[in-house]
Amino acid sequence: MSPSSDVPEPLMPFDEGHQQPPSYAQYPGGPVYPVYVDPPRPLGGLAKALYVLLGAAALVSVGGAFMRFSRASFAADYRQYLGSIAEADAADSRVAVFAVLFIAVFLATAVVFMIWQYRLAMNAQATGQLGLGPGWAIGAWFIPVANFIMPALQMRGSARASGFRPPAVVVVWAVVFAASSVTYGTANRQLPDEPPVATVASVDRFFAELAKGDRTAAVAMIIYVVAALLAIVMVRALTTGQEAADAARRNPGGYRP
C-alpha cells in the first residue's frame, strides 16, 4: 500500500464553476484541502428598495416642513385668527397627517436599512475580520446616544473587511442624521404640553412656544431631507464597493465578463 492511500479524499472536490474561489486549510499530517466560503448575498434589491424609501422620506419631510412653517406662521399671528377655529383645526390636521406619514415611512425605511446593513456585514464577515459584527448592524441602533456613532463605525468596518476603503459620505451622513435627530428632539421640548388657561399672558406664551417649536421642527425636517439624500449616496457607495471588491476576488486577474 502506498503512503498516499492512507490520505482521505477531499469531501468537496474543487469545482471550477463555483462563483468564489476556495481558500485552503492545511491539516496536520495531511494534504491541503479546499475550504469553501459561500458567495456574498446580493445587496442590489435591498439597495433599490432603500432608494425608493429614502426618496419618499425626503419628500414627506419637505411636506412636513412646509406644514410646520405654515402652522408657525399661524401661531405667530394668532390674534388675527381668534374667530377662526376652523383655520386652527386645519393647521393642526395638516401637521398631524404629515407626522403620521413621516413616522410610517421612517419606520419602513429603518427596517429595510437594518436588513441591508446586516447583510452588508454578513458579506464582509465572510471575507475579512470584522470588528463590530453583523449583530451590531441592528443592535447599535437601539443604544441611546451611541446610535449616532456606532452604525457608521459598523458600516466603515464592513467596508474595510470587504476589501475597499470606506467612503467619506458615511461620516458626513452620520453627522447630518445626528443633527436632524437632535434638532427634532429640541423641537419637541419647545412645543407646549397643554392648552393654555384663559388668560392673555398664558395664551400668548402658548402660541409663542408653538411657533418656536414648529419652526425648529421644520428645520429638523429640512436637515433630515439632506440626511436622506446622503443616505442614498452612502448605500450606493457601500453596495457597489462591496460588489466590486467581491468581483475582484473572484477574478484576480482583472477579467470582467
Side-chain angles (χ1 to χ4, degrees), residues 60 69 81 136 190 197 200 202-203:
V60 171
F69 277 130
Y81 302 95
W136 287 107
Q190 291 173 340
V197 296
V200 173
S202 63
V203 170

Side-chain angles (χ1 to χ4, degrees), residues 39-167:
R41 298 182 64 186
L43 292 170
L46 288 171
K48 290 177 182 177
L50 279 176
Y51 301 154
V52 174
L53 287 170
L54 288 165
L59 290 175
V60 171
S61 296
V62 170
F66 179 80
M67 296 307 168
R68 291 279 188 169
F69 277 130
S70 178
R71 191 172 71 171
S73 178
F74 167 83
D77 299 325
Y78 80 96
R79 290 180 182 275
Q80 299 180 16
Y81 302 95
L82 287 178
S84 179
I85 301 299
E87 181 66 23
D89 288 343
D92 287 340
S93 296
R94 289 191 293 267
V95 169
V97 166
F98 274 90
V100 171
L101 287 174
F102 178 81
I103 292 172
V105 175
F106 182 87
L107 290 177
T109 304
V111 170
V112 177
F113 190 95
M114 283 188 282
I115 295 172
W116 169 84
Q117 187 177 347
Y118 179 81
R119 185 173 295 183
L120 180 81
M122 287 292 291
N123 290 346
Q125 185 172 255
T127 57
Q129 185 175 1
L130 188 59
L132 293 174
W136 287 107
I138 298 175
W141 287 101
F142 297 95
I143 304 175
V145 182
N147 55 11
F148 294 146
I149 303 171
M150 290 185 67
L153 293 177
Q154 198 284 319
M155 286 185 283
R156 285 173 59 84
S158 293
R160 285 191 292 268
S162 298
F164 67 98
R165 179 179 298 178

Side-chain angles (χ1 to χ4, degrees), residues 157-179:
S158 293
R160 285 191 292 268
S162 298
F164 67 98
R165 179 179 298 178
V169 69
V170 177
V171 175
V172 179
W173 164 81
V175 171
V176 176
F177 182 75

Side-chain angles (χ1 to χ4, degrees), residues 171-182 220 222-228 230:
V171 175
V172 179
W173 164 81
V175 171
V176 176
F177 182 75
S180 68
S181 300
V182 171
I222 292 173
I223 298 174
Y224 182 77
V225 171
V226 178
L230 287 171

